[in-house]
Amino acid sequence: MQLRHSLMLTGAAAGAAGAATAPASAQTVALSITIPRLSVAEYHRPYVAVWIEKAGATPRTLSVWYDYDMRNGEGTKWLRDVRQWWRTSGRTMTFPADGVTGATRAPGEQKLTFTPGKGPLGSLTAGNYTIVIEAAREVGGREVLRLPFAWPPKPGATVRAKGASELGAVTLTFGR
């Protein structure tokens, strides 16, 4: 049995003439992440990081799920196991990160909403981006999926990827 986690990103129209940070009309970006239910002897909830990259720009962490409520911040010591994210931007962050940090998730659907120009997503200028999802589990595996897209996107455009172990099918869909 597989369960779906969803991440919803929504964008607003640029208000001022000449603004290059958002498309001329409202956009919706839906990221659906399927995390398979694993039948293993010792299952631990995965630590998951979702971030956005653009060539020549600093990567931005959109969400990090970990054991943030452990005594003395002990859950942060395993964040480095989410290796690519940790090397990209995690090691420079202070935890818990307001608006980004969340608890590890049990299997089930998860929806997050972001607005360009606000919160962790920030402003998106025209160009090529990649949304990256990395999952790592104690006594388990680690997996990274990359979903490249162009901003502003064409409504109805879809990007798909499929994991082999810690992540299942991932779909990035753009709409109005």
Side-chain angles (χ1 to χ4, degrees):
M1 176 178 162
Q2 292 190 348
L3 301 170
R4 291 194 173 266
H5 289 261
S6 297
L7 168 71
M8 296 295 295
L9 308 173
T10 58
T21 60
S25 61
Q27 291 288 326
T28 301
V29 181
L31 178 62
S32 173
I33 303 170
T34 304
I35 298 178
R37 181 178 299 273
L38 303 174
S39 296
V40 293
E42 186 177 345
Y43 180 80
H44 295 272
R45 292 179 180 184
Y47 276 29
V48 176
V50 178
W51 71 97
I52 188 167
E53 298 177 336
K54 181 181 182 187
T58 302
R60 287 179 263 175
T61 300
L62 300 177
S63 190
V64 179
W65 305 339
Y66 70 99
D67 289 327
Y68 73 90
D69 59 355
M70 290 181 80
R71 190 174 349 155
N72 299 322
E74 197 160 312
T76 60
K77 81 180 189 182
W78 292 290
L79 283 172
R80 65 181 159 261
D81 290 342
V82 187
R83 289 185 225 143
Q84 286 191 24
W85 165 78
W86 182 255
R87 291 176 187 142
T88 301
S89 62
R91 71 175 74 182
T92 61
M93 294 179 69
T94 301
F95 295 97
D98 189 34
V100 173
T101 295
T104 57
R105 308 303 205 264
E109 188 171 1
Q110 186 67 44
K111 293 180 182 181
L112 303 173
T113 302
F114 299 94
T115 302
K118 296 180 184 179
L121 185 60
S123 297
L124 297 178
T125 57
N128 294 319
Y129 290 85
T130 303
I131 290 213
V132 187
I133 301 103
E134 182 173 11
R137 278 187 316 109
E138 181 182 358
V139 193
R142 186 182 69 78
E143 188 162 27
V144 179
L145 292 178
R146 299 172 129 359
L147 293 102
F149 67 96
W151 189 266
K154 294 180 181 176
T158 301
V159 180
R160 290 184 171 87
K162 182 161 177 47
S165 59
E166 300 301 322
L167 297 167
V170 176
T171 305
L172 180 63
T173 306
F174 302 91
R176 282 211 187 273

